[in-house]
Amino acid sequence: MKVIDAQQVAQCLTMTSLIETMRDIYAQPATIPQRRVMSLEEGKYEAFALLPAWNQELIAVKAFTYFPQNAAQGKDTLASKLLVFKRGDGDPIALVDGKVLTFWRTAAASALAADYLARKAASQLLICGTGNLAPYFAWAYAAIRPIKHVYIWGRNPDKAVATVDRILSSSEYQSLPAERQFDISIVETPDQVINHVDIVSCITASATPLFNGNAVQAGTHIDLVGNHDLDKRECDTHAVQRSEVYVDSRVNVLAEAGDLLIPIQEGVFTPEEVRGELPELCAQQVAGRQSDKVITLYKSVGSALADLAAVKAVLVESGIDSHA
């Protein structure tokens, strides 16, 4: 069994190739049981989670721990490993660093969804959040749309500056042709630009809405990634009501995400109004954006299918045979 560390994962991947591998895997039949996120102690946020998935080629299960208090001690809050087996005979293939893989696949999955839901000419991107994921989202969206300007918002100005630096200094950005290298700036509030951006991507731990949903312009695509809690949300009810809504997984989103569950509790949105899941978009079982005038919204909480697709890309680039 091969052990693939974080550095090897990063060396294996580019956003363009990862997105296309994910598109192919998502269009194929697969089994994705509901993910299990388990609190380690009543009343605390420490958690352990398991995300299994399999298709005709691979079985994958990701395990991760979340210890938010680690940040105060300068430690990582998230630790993750992904174990992969051959579907044909159950033989273990690889143990893969799950943390870096999760950064790549989370951004790539959002960009894949946006390839069906964002306007083709979308060029103005707002990223809300300055954590580890933020640079990956800039790189991912630049892989699928002609991004001209990226706006960064975060509560900590120093982290916002660091995010800008990391985006611009990366090989993903530097490898873009000159005509596709975008400008980037920091904004004081999301509402400062929400009425003229084409895509807004939220990857924060905010408990309350980040922007005024009534100010979102027609044709915008909203990408909500950060919240996994029943009583929290990154967008308000107005944004949900005004949008055509899609999700990565109905069973997971409707079990965890206050972004949709709060409007449902308010009686202004129903689960039946979710138009489709990302695998259905990739398999052309449901339609994506049909008009440049509508607002689209994609809510994700993390799907094991994204891990399965991303680890397939890593195995291919590593020259590891995944067939029985």
Side-chain angles (χ1 to χ4, degrees):
M1 183 175 69
K2 180 79 170 177
V3 177
I4 302 175
D5 63 23
Q7 184 177 3
Q8 291 170 303
V9 169
Q11 290 172 343
C12 283
L13 299 175
T14 67
M15 278 301 172
T16 299
S17 63
L18 177 56
I19 289 167
E20 291 312 311
T21 298
M22 293 180 76
R23 192 192 309 274
D24 179 58
I25 296 292
Y26 270 66
Q28 299 174 19
T31 301
I32 313 110
Q34 184 173 355
R35 70 185 207 153
R36 294 287 308 278
V37 181
M38 296 158 279
S39 175
L40 295 175
E41 187 174 345
E42 182 100 18
K44 292 191 176 182
Y45 283 106
E46 296 170 355
F48 173 66
L50 292 171
L51 286 79
W54 57 90
N55 60 12
Q56 291 303 307
E57 182 180 348
L58 294 171
I59 304 167
V61 59
K62 183 169 74 176
F64 73 81
T65 57
Y66 178 60
F67 282 71
Q69 76 277 12
N70 281 3
Q73 304 167 26
K75 298 179 181 178
D76 287 343
T77 59
L78 190 73
S80 177
K81 297 293 180 183
L82 200 143
L83 187 58
V84 194
F85 306 83
K86 292 180 180 179
R87 174 64 178 86
D89 60 10
D91 191 39
I93 304 171
L95 179 67
V96 183
D97 179 83
K99 182 178 178 181
V100 171
L101 188 77
T102 297
F103 294 157
W104 280 89
R105 67 80 154 154
T106 302
S110 278
L112 178 58
D115 204 26
Y116 297 98
L117 301 176
R119 290 184 296 111
K120 295 297 183 186
S123 63
Q124 307 290 311
L125 167 66
L126 167 62
I127 296 176
C128 296
T130 54
N132 289 322
L133 274 169
Y136 293 88
F137 275 72
W139 307 329
Y141 275 107
I144 57 100
R145 286 297 182 270
I147 300 299
K148 300 298 184 187
H149 200 113
V150 175
Y151 300 95
I152 300 292
W153 172 81
R155 292 186 175 87
N156 185 318
D158 291 338
K159 290 185 69 175
V161 170
T163 297
V164 171
D165 289 344
R166 189 172 173 208
I167 291 169
L168 296 179
S169 64
S170 68
S171 60
E172 281 284 324
Y173 180 82
Q174 296 294 331
S175 64
L176 290 171
E179 65 275 12
R180 290 184 54 207
Q181 291 186 352
F182 46 81
D183 295 326
I184 187 164
S185 58
I186 297 168
V187 295
E188 293 183 1
T189 68
D191 283 334
Q192 185 179 332
V193 293
I194 196 67
N195 63 352
H196 68 263
V197 294
D198 304 305
I199 301 169
V200 53
S201 188
C202 300
I203 42 177
T204 76
S206 178
T208 56
L210 298 169
F211 56 88
N212 178 3
N214 281 328
V216 175
Q217 69 169 345
T220 300
H221 173 60
I222 301 170
D223 174 32
L224 304 175
V225 182
N227 173 55
H228 297 189
D229 292 318
L230 302 173
D231 58 349
K232 299 177 182 177
R233 53 180 174 170
E234 293 182 296
C235 78
D236 61 21
T237 297
H238 298 300
V240 175
Q241 288 180 292
R242 297 180 63 207
S243 299
E244 295 183 350
V245 176
Y246 298 80
V247 297
D248 62 342
S249 162
R250 284 183 179 88
V251 66
N252 290 329
V253 168
L254 295 175
E256 298 180 32
D259 311 78
L260 299 188
L261 292 175
I262 292 172
I264 289 171
Q265 292 166 0
E266 293 171 343
V268 297
F269 185 76
T270 67
E272 291 71 30
E273 291 178 83
V274 174
R275 290 174 173 255
E277 299 178 327
L278 182 52
E280 294 172 330
L281 286 167
C282 293
Q284 299 183 340
Q285 295 170 350
V286 298
R289 175 178 289 272
Q290 299 296 299
S291 164
D292 283 348
K293 299 298 183 183
V294 302
I295 298 170
T296 54
L297 185 152
Y298 176 69
K299 174 57 192 170
S300 62
V301 294
S303 168
L305 185 58
D307 298 313
L308 186 74
V311 83
K312 170 63 177 179
V314 170
L315 295 177
V316 168
E317 293 300 320
S318 300
I320 298 173
D321 181 17
S322 57
H323 296 88

